[in-house]
Amino acid sequence: MNQDITFPFKVIVQNHGVVTFPTQDCYIAQGGQGYVLKLNDQAYKIYHDPKTMIPAEKVQELSILKKYPNILCPLEVLFDPNKPKNPIGFSMPYVRKTEFLVRLFNRTFKQDNRITPDTVAELVKNLQTGVQNVHNESILIVDLNEMNFLTDSKTYTTPYFIDVDNYETKKHRTTAIMESIRDPKVQKNQWTKNSDWFSFGIVAFQLYTNLHPYWGKHPDFKLNQWQERMKLGVSVFDKAVTFPPGFMGWDVIPKAHLDWFRKIFQQGERSVPPYPDGALIITVARVTDITSTGKFEVTPVAVLSDRIISVSFHNGVRYAITTKQIYRMDKPVLPTPKTRSGLLSMGGHEPILAVEDQTTIKFTTLDGKECGSTTFEQAMEYGGALYTIYNDRLIETRFEMFQQPMQMTKTLTSVSGNTKLYRGVAVQDALGKHWLAIPFLPGKCTNIPVPELDGYRIVVAKYENRYCQLMGERSGKYTRFVLYFSEDHTTYKCRSAVGPYIGISFAVNAKGICVSALEDQAEICFGDSKISTHSDSPFDPDTELLTDGLNILFIDDRKLYQVRLK
């Protein structure tokens, strides 16, 4: 019998008495096993079916991990107030302002959030320490996949271990594991510390390079035969493997880990990883050119001095934010701020610079004159405007010139307390039901339910010009959703496909042609129909695609290219 959640909702917490969750604002998420609620600094997992709850004995075994603040382990058993002897869940620590670890598998996300190779190295080192801490307590993680970790969204160096109730203890075994991190040497689910370390290696390698160690193209295998390559030890260290454009290169991996990766992935060794020596990582900018392929013509547009973070167009003029400078066309105009920043359109004038400062976004002209600010909890730039979430409202900020820059602010819609803002879209999870809030025109916003997403954890999303693409995870499998909206955004058509995790990268030109980067091909669509796919794509899902209105462009390191079908 399923445990329903209606508010106010009450539970009895072992050794603490009755706890009341007053409103739906206490809701965090819903997964295959149950709901997760929050109250103050505690989270509470309520099972859909109380019969599937882990035994109280296992809660006690796992509670030994509470000495490690970043391992969010079960603490106290929860009971149904109407049946006080019936356990229905458990409490655990709650942390705020986090991201799914898997988002750091994407180069564009790293660039947008100023995540450097040194940052990733620190995160991996802390992840390694956490795994070692679990092992020190004679516990195995087993399903050490990327969706079972969060990271703080401020420094991106603190990993949080979640779904700890599925760990294997001395008295309670585990069988479930995501296939992409399963050690092929393990037989009959006889997990070991070394099988955990193999899984850690796969996650760490993707954090460093954005690529699974058994992906990349090999002449003897199809792209979807990565599991066969895992069994045979044909990894990215094989000389016949070629890499996609988003591969970060070997120099971003500390030598100690690089040598260990080669041993476990290519040579079949199983061992505890060494700790990196802490040496400074020097990232060498890639200088290779991307050239035309059989079906795509690639034309260089610009080569800048530093790695490009973003490109936007204002009044027909190209602006680029790089790691060191903000450029107008090919000329630097001012240094890049140290925190996240973007450019907002202002009629026929130069754009406004928006810079994050703690919980405030400050606006200035490009010559440094202050022209306003706004408080925010989440923020994104889309269509030349800034969109923020604050106090459960989606707010639009635009600029117009009236003798001087004028900040124009408008509340577009209310959103649920459990909302995540992505490029062009706010994804809301209301007790497992998903809604999308999309500011599709200046001053206009749709807020529409999308039942196809219900039950999924949405990892990443993007909206642009009637298209919305999302990547969702459920039961260890990823699904890519493509929504195409009617002109008034009151209806949509949806298609979906199960596959590996990839970033969402697409662009739509003024004619409504959508070009998407998939795992091993480019997809070109018009409207709600799939027009064509091409396997010789010059870009991949780690490549930022954009448009200047008519043309499709993409960013590769410090270069900007235009691409079109021949």
Side-chain angles (χ1 to χ4, degrees):
M1 181 177 179
N2 283 354
Q3 176 73 43
D4 293 327
I5 298 289
T6 56
F7 295 94
F9 181 76
K10 295 182 179 182
V11 298
I12 297 175
V13 180
Q14 184 182 27
N15 301 324
H16 293 283
V18 176
V19 170
T20 301
F21 305 94
T23 68
Q24 188 170 313
D25 288 340
C26 297
Y27 170 80
I28 301 176
Q30 179 183 195
Q33 293 181 325
Y35 297 93
V36 179
L37 308 180
K38 64 181 179 181
L39 194 65
N40 301 321
D41 292 327
Q42 292 287 299
Y44 302 81
K45 183 171 181 176
I46 314 296
Y47 282 80
H48 293 309
D49 182 355
K51 293 180 181 178
T52 64
M53 181 189 158
I54 63 173
E57 182 183 49
K58 188 175 183 182
V59 173
Q60 183 62 34
E61 285 184 283
L62 292 170
S63 67
I64 195 172
L65 297 172
K66 66 184 179 182
K67 67 179 75 172
Y68 308 108
N70 64 324
I71 300 178
L72 310 184
C73 66
L75 298 175
E76 304 282 359
V77 177
L78 310 179
F79 297 92
D80 184 345
N82 298 316
K83 300 177 181 178
K85 294 184 179 180
N86 288 12
I88 59 173
F90 56 82
S91 65
M92 55 189 171
Y94 171 61
V95 291
R96 295 172 173 82
K97 297 183 178 180
T98 59
E99 285 281 2
F100 288 120
L101 186 75
V102 69
R103 297 205 68 191
L104 277 75
F105 289 4
N106 180 263
R107 184 172 64 173
T108 299
F109 181 80
K110 290 175 179 174
Q111 290 177 177
D112 287 347
N113 292 278
R114 313 298 197 265
I115 300 172
T116 67
D118 293 286
T119 301
V120 174
E122 183 68 18
L123 173 64
V124 171
K125 184 174 69 173
N126 292 336
L127 185 67
Q128 181 174 339
T129 297
V131 175
Q132 186 62 62
N133 288 338
V134 173
H135 288 176
N136 289 343
E137 305 301 337
S138 300
I139 295 172
L140 298 178
I141 297 176
V142 181
D143 194 13
L144 204 157
N145 78 73
E146 63 274 7
M147 289 300 295
N148 285 338
F149 299 95
L150 305 172
T151 180
D152 74 289
S153 58
K154 183 178 181 180
T155 68
Y156 296 97
T157 59
T158 301
Y160 291 101
F161 292 54
I162 62 174
D163 289 342
V164 178
D165 51 312
N166 292 317
Y167 288 7
E168 182 168 293
T169 64
K170 290 180 179 179
K171 297 181 180 180
H172 297 89
R173 297 191 59 77
T174 294
T175 58
I177 186 171
M178 188 182 284
E179 290 300 320
S180 61
I181 52 94
R182 175 193 286 269
D183 183 352
K185 289 182 177 291
V186 171
Q187 301 297 320
K188 298 181 180 180
N189 297 329
Q190 297 300 306
W191 316 110
T192 65
K193 292 180 179 180
N194 279 341
S195 63
D196 266 6
W197 286 121
F198 178 83
S199 300
F200 161 82
I202 288 181
V203 172
F205 190 87
Q206 290 178 95
L207 285 170
Y208 283 128
T209 69
N210 307 331
L211 185 69
H212 190 285
Y214 293 97
W215 291 356
K217 293 183 179 180
H218 192 287
D220 297 336
F221 299 87
K222 295 180 181 179
L223 203 65
N224 62 2
Q225 291 182 304
W226 53 269
Q227 285 178 286
E228 186 67 20
R229 286 174 55 186
M230 287 178 73
K231 294 177 183 178
L232 297 174
V234 184
S235 73
V236 292
F237 292 99
D238 190 288
K239 293 182 179 179
V241 172
T242 57
F243 303 105
F247 180 65
M248 295 291 288
W250 304 114
D251 61 299
V252 299
I253 307 175
K255 186 178 185 305
H257 274 173
L258 182 61
D259 293 342
W260 180 70
F261 289 150
R262 184 178 287 105
K263 291 177 182 177
I264 65 168
F265 297 141
Q266 192 68 16
Q267 300 171 12
E269 180 183 298
R270 295 293 182 267
S271 60
V272 177
Y275 272 96
D277 58 12
L280 180 65
I281 299 172
I282 305 297
T283 303
V284 180
R286 297 190 299 134
V287 294
T288 56
D289 289 322
I290 294 180
T291 58
S292 299
T293 64
K295 294 186 178 180
F296 289 93
E297 181 178 317
V298 177
T299 305
V301 174
V303 180
L304 302 181
S305 299
D306 318 302
R307 179 166 52 83
I308 299 171
I309 296 172
S310 65
V311 173
S312 56
F313 295 85
H314 306 271
N315 307 313
V317 179
R318 184 186 74 243
Y319 291 82
I321 299 178
T322 74
T323 53
K324 295 182 179 179
Q325 298 283 335
I326 296 178
Y327 287 80
R328 182 191 300 114
M329 299 302 285
D330 297 326
K331 296 183 179 180
V333 292
L334 73 161
T336 298
K338 293 182 179 180
T339 57
R340 286 184 59 192
S341 55
L343 295 172
L344 310 180
S345 295
M346 186 171 61
H349 301 267
E350 277 205 326
I352 296 295
L353 177 63
V355 181
E356 290 188 8
D357 182 10
Q358 301 295 325
T359 59
T360 301
I361 295 177
K362 297 180 179 180
F363 305 111
T364 64
T365 60
L366 295 189
D367 59 4
K369 296 179 181 177
E370 296 181 2
C371 50
S373 65
T374 189
T375 304
F376 78 106
E377 295 164 358
Q378 299 181 57
M380 64 90 173
E381 181 275 330
Y382 173 70
L386 179 74
Y387 295 91
T388 55
I389 290 179
Y390 187 68
N391 285 343
D392 296 339
R393 296 175 298 151
L394 179 61
I395 302 168
E396 176 186 82
T397 299
R398 291 183 175 272
F399 278 85
E400 298 288 345
M401 177 62 80
F402 297 99
Q403 295 184 342
Q404 61 183 7
M406 183 67 69
Q407 180 180 342
M408 316 289 285
T409 300
K410 179 181 181 179
T411 296
L412 298 180
T413 186
S414 296
V415 293
S416 73
N418 193 38
T419 298
K420 184 69 176 177
L421 200 56
Y422 300 96
R423 181 71 61 86
V425 57
V427 179
Q428 305 164 77
D429 180 354
L431 292 178
K433 306 296 183 182
H434 281 90
W435 289 64
L436 301 182
I438 301 174
F440 62 96
L441 285 174
K444 293 187 176 181
C445 180
T446 189
N447 203 352
I448 186 169
V450 183
E452 291 88 346
L453 304 178
D454 293 351
Y456 284 86
R457 291 191 288 181
I458 302 304
V459 181
V460 63
K462 178 183 176 181
Y463 169 86
E464 184 175 313
N465 194 9
R466 296 176 66 177
Y467 288 89
C468 186
Q469 297 189 21
L470 310 96
M471 182 64 67
E473 182 272 341
R474 183 171 65 183
S475 301
K477 295 182 179 179
Y478 294 105
T479 299
R480 173 177 171 259
F481 295 90
V482 179
L483 309 181
Y484 181 70
F485 285 84
S486 59
E487 190 170 355
D488 62 1
H489 286 67
T490 57
T491 62
Y492 63 87
K493 293 185 177 181
C494 176
R495 57 185 171 90
S496 61
V498 176
Y501 173 78
I502 58 173
I504 297 295
S505 180
F506 71 95
V508 187
N509 69 10
K511 295 182 179 180
I513 297 174
C514 177
V515 179
S516 303
L518 304 186
E519 180 189 12
D520 60 340
Q521 60 190 5
E523 178 185 83
I524 301 177
C525 301
F526 183 78
D528 61 343
S529 301
K530 183 188 296 185
I531 295 180
S532 59
T533 57
H534 305 277
S535 59
D536 61 348
S537 170
F539 46 76
D540 71 358
D542 273 322
T543 307
E544 177 75 8
L545 289 169
L546 63 147
T547 181
D548 60 4
L550 180 62
N551 303 298
I552 299 296
L553 311 171
F554 68 90
I555 298 169
D556 182 68
D557 203 72
R558 58 191 184 89
K559 298 181 181 181
L560 179 68
Y561 295 92
Q562 177 182 313
V563 61
R564 69 177 183 85
L565 278 174
K566 292 182 178 178

